[in-house]
Amino acid sequence: MQPRAIRSYVTRAGRLTEAQSRALQQLWPRYGIDFQPQLLNLDQLFGRQAPRTLEIGFGNGEHLLERALTSPERDFIGVEVHPPGVGHLLLMADRANVTNVKLIAHDAVEVLQQQIPPASLDEVQLLFPDPWPKKRHHKRRILNAGFAQLVASRLTASGRFHAATDWTPYAEQMLSVLNECPLLANCAREGGYAPAGEVMARQATRFQRRGERLGHTVHELLYHRC
Ligand SMILES: C[S@@+](CC[C@H](N)C(=O)[O-])C[C@H]1O[C@@H](n2cnc3c(N)ncnc32)[C@H](O)[C@@H]1O
């Protein structure tokens, strides 16, 4: 497969704390899945059959860990390219001794294309993706028509895709792209944003809190596979 020309992130060296650096070495064998262009056997990976959530760009992982702790009946896969965030989540996961989380430190688009089997996820979450506000950078936004189809193809027949952003122009683009996706149906009445009551209560993510401090409106979008 050809490497993608445009990515939704730029590789930042990022400052790893000593503890994060140690975690990346010592805890990776317990929680990490190396990227390989080969489909994963998710039942084997988690040692059971359970509903599965994949979170794209989990940042520092607080939200993912909280969900894993409060939903022990589900399994969670987190995908993130920023090493300090991965190290942070590894440390928290180890401290909490969770057994239902696995991490992949690689581009989520390639992970979905090459590692995640079709119709294998019950839920995909994309929370506060980089908004790339400048017009010349819009092409870097992860959510586009191809991405919507890719995510939808990895959902089970009853699977759901949940996205959120505090950047209104991006929210508008998400809404129009997702409403156009033939494999997804909007859960909200009249094809709009999901009312707060329809989206599962969850811990605010770091970027959500930042957006709220700046006075931004948070838009949530909820779709099911059709
Ligand atoms: C704006 S931050 C939001 C982080 C977190 N979801 C939150 O709400 O606090 C976006 C995150 O997505 C990650 N990211 C961007 N593109 C990605 C990709 N293609 N694959 C995996 N992670 C990605 C970035 O490294 C960054 O941590």
Side-chain angles (χ1 to χ4, degrees):
M1 189 171 291
Q2 289 291 314
R4 283 186 312 131
I6 301 168
R7 293 187 186 276
S8 58
Y9 59 91
V10 281
T11 315
R12 294 167 283 152
R15 259 174 297 128
L16 277 172
T17 64
E18 245 175 66
Q20 287 167 354
S21 178
R22 226 175 308 120
L24 285 168
Q25 288 180 5
Q26 293 176 359
L27 300 175
W28 190 252
R30 177 169 181 201
Y31 291 109
I33 307 169
D34 291 326
F35 175 76
Q36 279 177 7
Q38 194 181 341
L39 291 181
L40 292 164
N41 180 331
L42 299 180
D43 290 349
Q44 211 173 60
L45 192 70
F46 286 98
R48 65 174 180 175
Q49 273 187 321
R52 266 160 211 143
T53 293
L54 181 139
E55 185 176 337
I56 296 168
F58 59 71
N60 68 9
E62 277 173 355
H63 167 266
L64 184 57
L65 182 72
E66 170 76 12
R67 286 220 48 210
L69 287 171
T70 52
S71 302
E73 74 289 356
R74 302 183 72 86
D75 288 328
F76 293 85
I77 302 169
V79 187
E80 172 56 62
V81 287
H82 193 48
V86 177
H88 190 257
L89 179 51
L90 284 171
L91 287 170
M92 293 191 302
D94 184 53
R95 246 174 251 142
N97 201 23
V98 287
T99 55
N100 57 341
V101 172
K102 297 282 180 197
L103 307 183
I104 307 180
H106 193 79
D107 180 354
V109 174
E110 289 184 1
V111 169
L112 284 166
Q113 283 172 335
Q114 299 181 48
Q115 282 195 294
I116 302 295
S120 63
L121 302 171
D122 296 86
E123 183 185 35
V124 174
Q125 289 194 299
L126 175 69
L127 303 178
F128 305 90
D130 296 297
W132 293 108
K134 291 185 184 151
K135 192 152 192 247
R136 68 173 193 280
H137 288 148
H138 285 182
K139 56 183 181 289
R140 285 191 174 275
R141 289 178 174 169
I142 195 167
L143 206 157
N144 56 34
F147 177 82
Q149 291 244 15
L150 175 62
V151 167
S153 71
R154 272 37 187 178
L155 291 174
T156 59
S158 58
R160 302 208 309 177
F161 176 53
H162 173 204
T165 180
D166 64 316
W167 192 249
T168 298
Y170 196 9
E172 287 163 0
Q173 180 195 334
M174 287 180 174
L175 196 61
S176 93
V177 165
L178 294 170
N179 282 351
E180 287 290 307
C181 179
L183 302 178
L184 292 172
N186 195 327
C187 299
R189 262 174 246 119
E190 290 160 24
Y193 298 114
E198 279 183 28
V199 178
M200 185 193 16
R202 63 175 156 78
Q203 149 159 355
T205 72
R206 181 160 165 235
F207 274 80
Q208 177 173 358
R209 291 195 297 272
R210 178 179 169 275
E212 286 169 346
R213 275 198 306 275
L214 293 169
H216 297 175
T217 302
V218 169
H219 295 286
E220 311 262 359
L221 299 95
L222 195 59
Y223 288 77
H224 63 82
R225 178 78 164 87
C226 59

